[in-house]
């Protein structure tokens, strides 16, 4: 029996939301609802318009026989700005400051809604780039990488600072870690990355940038290419950071070890993506 338009719209929306960055042929929906392609096209027009108006995302249409539709998750400027302001406020709570200017984030990075929004924000910035893999370093970066990976429909790979036989043979690099100028090692299973793949680096926190820099050299070792770098928060760092082209959602701009407080403000994400957000409103 034919499926009514209202029922089709609900089921198509769910189907698309669950498959970001995935091309779905119109014929798939025609068969699923036993409806003409012209009806399905009208359905998709309604979904596209509503997604646009509510800033749920973009419904791309790929023409031709091998064509179809692809849902690109995005976040609107206002929702992004509100979330970032909320996170900056949360980080400025007392008792988050840790020795060495690090910040306690594990409660936030264990909250599903926070992880969803972080993933959506970072995936929005890279929605139109060729990201074949999302890379992070164990441990606290992993939930962020998983969330970004889900929104971009790209696998995530975990770099480790320890050797595990369960990772098989690995490529390893030495890197200068943080302000302590210690040499550390990080490695990635050889099976994780193909040469030439586009890699997005994400992490929960960047201080001196040594960790991110280590991941950059790992990407070079794999003959892969760096698409971008995005971190949830960046610490206050006096020295010259080894990394400069990155986005951060939050920036720690003041640390007072006497009163054990820190002040966090929005990072450079909104400024960096101003043109992108303007394009969405157009
Ligand atoms: O910019 P840098 O000076 O290199 O510091 C940023 C590192 C340090 C910290 O990881 P750790 O807390 O050391 O390790 P884990 O994530 O496993 O807790 C954080 O998650 C980044 O990866």
């Amino acid at each position: 029996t034919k499926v009514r338009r209202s029922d089709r719209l609900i089921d198509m929306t769910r189907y698309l939301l669950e498959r970001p960055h995935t091309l779905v042929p119109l014929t798939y929906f025609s068969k699923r609802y036993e409806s003409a392609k012209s009806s399905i096209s009208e359905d998709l027009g309604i979904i596209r318009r509503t997604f646009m108006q509510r800033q749920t995302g973009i419904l791309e249409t790929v023409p031709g026989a091998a064509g179809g539709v692809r849902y690109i998750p995005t976040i609107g400027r206002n929702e992004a700005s509100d979330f970032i302001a909320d996170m900056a406020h949360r980080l400025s709570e007392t008792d988050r400051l840790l020795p060495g200017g690090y910040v306690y984030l594990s409660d936030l990075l264990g909250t599903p809604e926070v992880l969803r929004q972080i993933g959506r924000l970072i995936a929005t910035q890279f929605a139109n780039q060729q990201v074949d893999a999302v890379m992070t370093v164990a441990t606290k970066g992993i939930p962020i990488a998983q969330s970004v990976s889900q929104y971009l429909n790209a696998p995530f790979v975990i770099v480790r600072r320890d050797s595990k036989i369960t990772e098989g043979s690995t490529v390893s690099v030495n890197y200068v870690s943080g302000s302590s100028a210690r040499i550390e090692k990080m490695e990635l299973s050889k099976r994780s990355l193909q040469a030439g793949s586009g890699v997005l680096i994400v992490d929960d926190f960047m201080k001196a940038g040594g960790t991110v820099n280590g991941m950059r050299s790992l990407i070079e070792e794999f003959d892969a290419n760096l698409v971008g770098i995005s971190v949830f928060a960046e610490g206050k760092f006096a020295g010259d950071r080894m990394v400069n082209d990155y986005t951060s959602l939050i920036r720690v701009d003041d640390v007072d070890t006497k009163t054990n407080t820190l002040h966090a403000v929005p990072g450079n994400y909104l400024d960096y993506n101003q043109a992108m957000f303007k394009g969405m409103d157009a």
Side-chain angles (χ1 to χ4, degrees):
T1 52
K2 280 184 63 150
V3 178
R4 278 179 311 187
R5 163 154 286 171
S6 56
D7 301 32
R8 294 202 306 262
L9 288 173
I10 291 167
D11 190 59
M12 286 167 91
T13 299
R14 177 205 46 80
Y15 189 87
L16 289 165
L17 288 176
E18 285 175 354
R19 291 164 183 78
H21 288 271
T22 305
L23 187 66
V24 182
L26 262 57
T27 45
Y28 172 79
F29 287 129
S30 288
K31 287 199 186 81
R32 186 178 170 92
Y33 307 117
E34 296 179 53
S35 302
K37 280 174 80 169
S38 54
S39 311
I40 297 300
S41 290
E42 284 167 18
D43 296 346
L44 290 167
I46 294 168
I47 297 172
R48 176 182 303 107
R49 193 183 62 248
T50 310
F51 276 10
M52 185 72 78
Q53 283 162 355
R54 303 289 172 177
Q55 299 193 319
T56 312
I58 296 155
L59 201 58
E60 266 179 9
T61 304
V62 178
V69 283
R70 184 186 288 119
Y71 164 57
I72 310 293
T74 60
I75 189 166
R77 182 195 5 237
N78 295 343
E79 188 178 355
S81 167
D82 291 350
F83 173 72
I84 286 171
D86 179 36
M87 286 298 112
H89 177 72
R90 294 285 303 273
L91 254 70
S92 303
E93 286 160 351
T94 55
D95 75 18
R96 280 191 186 275
L97 189 60
L98 300 170
Y102 288 94
V103 181
Y104 180 73
L105 298 174
S106 298
D107 57 333
L108 297 175
L109 300 182
T111 306
E113 178 55 20
V114 169
L115 287 169
R116 265 198 297 278
Q117 292 293 60
I118 294 173
R120 220 170 126 211
L121 276 145
I122 296 176
T124 300
Q125 177 177 333
F126 294 94
N128 296 324
Q129 314 220 16
Q130 183 54 42
V131 176
D132 302 306
V134 180
M135 176 186 278
T136 193
V137 64
T139 303
K140 288 192 287 291
I142 296 173
I144 292 174
Q146 192 276 333
S147 183
V148 174
S149 141
Q150 187 183 338
Y151 280 107
L152 287 179
N153 188 31
F156 66 101
V157 296
I158 303 170
V159 175
R160 304 178 70 121
R161 297 188 184 99
D162 58 355
S163 293
K164 287 277 179 181
I165 52 168
T166 47
E167 290 292 311
S169 61
T170 63
V171 175
S172 75
V173 293
N174 297 314
Y175 65 98
V176 176
S177 148
S179 28
S180 55
R182 253 189 351 267
I183 300 288
E184 288 207 31
K185 191 159 84 84
M186 57 167 63
E187 57 186 81
L188 179 63
S189 158
K190 275 208 174 100
R191 293 166 166 81
S192 296
L193 270 189
Q194 306 300 322
S197 46
V199 182
L200 166 58
I201 290 177
V202 299
D203 207 353
D204 63 311
F205 192 72
M206 176 161 75
K207 197 159 173 299
T211 304
V212 163
N213 215 32
M215 286 191 268
R216 260 196 323 203
S217 40
L218 251 186
I219 289 169
E220 281 166 29
E221 287 300 316
F222 277 87
D223 284 334
N225 53 64
L226 176 65
V227 172
I229 299 166
S230 194
V231 297
F232 172 60
E234 59 174 300
K236 188 172 172 57
F237 187 67
D240 65 318
R241 213 173 240 134
M242 298 171 255
V243 176
N244 39 42
D245 186 12
Y246 65 89
T247 49
S248 64
L249 303 185
I250 311 294
R251 181 166 57 83
V252 174
D253 78 339
D254 193 24
V255 166
D256 182 340
T257 44
K258 279 189 294 300
T259 59
N260 205 28
T261 53
L262 66 86
H263 183 243
V265 295
N268 65 8
Y269 176 89
L270 291 170
D271 297 341
Y272 191 99
N273 289 299
Q274 209 166 16
M276 174 190 73
F277 283 122
K278 208 183 290 302
M280 277 184 203
D281 292 348

